[in-house]
Amino acid sequence: MGVDFDSDLGKLQRSMAESIAGTNRRNAILSELQIEPGDTIIDVGCGAGHLLTHLAKAVGGDGTVYGLDPSKAQIDQANLRCSEFENVKLIERNADNSQLPNDCCHYATSTQALEYIPDVDPALDEITRILQSGGAFVNVSILWDHFKFYGADQRLNEKIHDSFRAHCSHQMLPMELPGKLERRGFKYIKDKSLAFVITRRDRNSPARYTEDVMANFALTQGISKEEVSDWKSQLEKAEQEGRFGFTSFPVMTSGYLG
Ligand SMILES: C[S@@+](CC[C@H](N)C(=O)[O-])C[C@H]1O[C@@H](n2cnc3c(N)ncnc32)[C@H](O)[C@@H]1O
């Protein structure tokens, strides 16, 4: 069972998107895409639409931005966030079934979404189908094996991290994506690290939101309330003693359809 983005975890995900980690990812994507006014762009797994507003401003009134996500709660939030933009069209569907015409997009982008799709190949086929020749795909996915907290008791820390593996389908998608894109005719494929480290767990920090996401998820995986609460206390103590850490390793993969 993975994360249910229609539930309370969806709310935490939206807080994450608003944190500095979300901002940095959006800035990296926007500087990678060479957006021109009038372009058509799709954000696959758009969540609550934080990137869509930036894309809508960049393509202007003559352009179109599609935000696709299967979660009704996320699409409802994206609708609210994008209400002032007539050029944003929201699609409540899975990535493998956009129902858009062939070759309709200059760009496709996706942030921390493909790793949640068990069979990611049909989703990549669909992105390739709707992207026009010369168009670019820019994806950000996390290397989950490097998504780690430091400072708690090692055994308990490993137990919480191990339980979190079930939250998504692909732990290391950025390692597989270049080959998958090459086989679909993409060229000039490159990777860029967006890795970061945090040594404080202030409110509103991505580390704090992630701690809550992992703690809630651990409870759904049968880890006891006491253990989850001990883990959180141990992280708090580690922070007080100046030995807390959190690392995340998102990778931006981009390529042009030949
Ligand atoms: C971690 S959130 C990321 C949302 C947004 N891209 C962001 O960066 O804030 C993952 C999103 O992927 C969506 N998702 C899950 N399965 C999907 C699928 N089969 N096709 C498209 N999106 C999917 C979820 O509903 C969720 O909104």
Side-chain angles (χ1 to χ4, degrees), residues 11-197:
K11 277 190 213 147
L12 278 170
Q13 188 282 313
R14 292 191 279 280
S15 302
M16 277 290 267
E18 273 150 32
S19 74
I20 186 67
T23 307
N24 286 344
R25 292 192 305 204
R26 285 191 289 282
N27 287 343
I29 290 169
L30 290 165
S31 62
E32 185 66 27
L33 296 169
Q34 307 281 313
I35 302 174
E36 302 273 352
D39 279 348
T40 297
I41 307 183
I42 184 166
D43 183 11
V44 176
C46 64
H50 294 81
L51 180 63
L52 299 178
T53 56
H54 298 275
L55 298 175
K57 287 177 198 163
V59 302
D62 293 336
T64 303
V65 175
Y66 294 110
L68 175 145
D69 203 290
S71 155
K72 184 178 182 315
Q74 296 281 58
I75 288 286
D76 286 348
Q77 292 292 322
N79 245 320
L80 283 175
R81 180 164 282 100
C82 299
S83 59
E84 66 182 280
F85 296 103
E86 285 177 14
N87 56 353
V88 173
K89 296 183 175 23
L90 293 165
I91 305 170
E92 193 183 318
R93 289 188 170 281
N94 284 312
D96 61 358
N97 182 24
S98 71
Q99 303 218 339
L100 291 172
N102 291 349
D103 310 324
C104 66
C105 292
H106 298 93
Y107 294 108
T109 188
S110 185
T111 305
Q112 201 197 322
L114 294 188
E115 57 258 59
Y116 293 98
I117 305 178
D119 186 1
V120 76
D121 287 304
L124 290 171
D125 289 341
E126 180 72 347
I127 288 169
T128 309
R129 183 186 70 73
I130 62 177
L131 204 52
Q132 56 180 242
S133 178
F137 175 48
V138 177
N139 182 74
V140 174
S141 286
I142 293 180
L143 294 174
W144 291 101
D145 285 356
H146 303 293
F147 192 82
K148 299 255 183 249
F149 283 93
Y150 299 83
D153 163 73
Q154 194 180 346
R155 188 200 56 82
L156 180 56
N157 205 38
E158 279 171 13
K159 191 170 177 178
I160 301 276
H161 283 92
D162 278 352
S163 78
F164 197 58
R165 290 179 70 80
H167 102 286
C168 77
S169 305
H170 305 274
Q171 308 301 316
M172 298 290 275
L173 188 63
M175 303 306 195
E176 296 164 39
L177 208 47
K180 287 183 183 295
L181 293 180
E182 211 173 308
R183 286 192 286 282
R184 288 172 172 82
F186 283 84
K187 298 203 165 57
Y188 311 112
I189 296 163
K190 54 179 192 176
D191 310 297
K192 186 175 160 64
S193 160
L194 305 179
F196 62 91
V197 57

Side-chain angles (χ1 to χ4, degrees), residues 179-245:
K180 287 183 183 295
L181 293 180
E182 211 173 308
R183 286 192 286 282
R184 288 172 172 82
F186 283 84
K187 298 203 165 57
Y188 311 112
I189 296 163
K190 54 179 192 176
D191 310 297
K192 186 175 160 64
S193 160
L194 305 179
F196 62 91
V197 57
I198 291 177
T199 55
R200 301 285 304 271
R201 56 194 273 292
D202 319 346
R203 279 253 147 255
N204 301 322
S205 102
R208 192 58 177 265
Y209 291 127
T210 301
E211 184 183 313
D212 289 343
V213 169
M214 268 200 186
N216 288 354
F217 193 76
L219 294 172
T220 70
Q221 299 300 295
I223 298 190
S224 70
K225 271 190 188 159
E226 291 70 27
E227 281 181 302
V228 170
S229 151
D230 283 351
W231 180 68
K232 286 174 75 76
S233 306
Q234 289 167 12
L235 291 178
E236 188 180 350
K237 184 157 183 272
E239 190 201 19
Q240 284 160 3
E241 294 173 357
R243 53 181 181 79
F244 168 81

